[in-house]
Amino acid sequence: AELRAHLARRRMSNRALARQLGTTPAWIDRRLNGTTAISTDDLEMIGNALGMTPMQLLSGITHSGANPQ
């Protein structure tokens, strides 16, 4: 759920993230809907694409380090 929220805040589609990661929208969809578990490698790769750490992705912390309000 947090990953979806981060994408929404950036107005980034699954397709745009997939393009940035060099993967397919289906790859992103499977991880967002829980069909495929997100690995630590996936989190790091997605975090890098969004300019965030894996911990920030999981915790809901924004770029600035402040919790969203």
Side-chain angles (χ1 to χ4, degrees), residues 1 26 28:
I28 301 295

Side-chain angles (χ1 to χ4, degrees), residues 30-63:
R30 286 192 301 270
R31 280 143 185 88
L32 290 179
N33 69 24
T35 302
T36 300
I38 297 177
S39 71
T40 54
D41 289 340
D42 295 342
L43 280 174
E44 188 163 340
M45 185 170 66
I46 294 166
N48 287 338
L50 298 176
M52 304 177 78
T53 66
M55 187 58 84
Q56 288 171 317
L57 283 176
L58 294 174
S59 67
I61 298 171
T62 62
H63 275 348

Side-chain angles (χ1 to χ4, degrees), residues 7 12-22 28 46 49-50:
L7 290 173
M12 180 181 275
S13 68
N14 294 0
R15 183 177 303 277
L17 179 60
R19 192 171 27 250
Q20 191 167 346
L21 296 176
I28 301 295
I46 294 166
L50 298 176

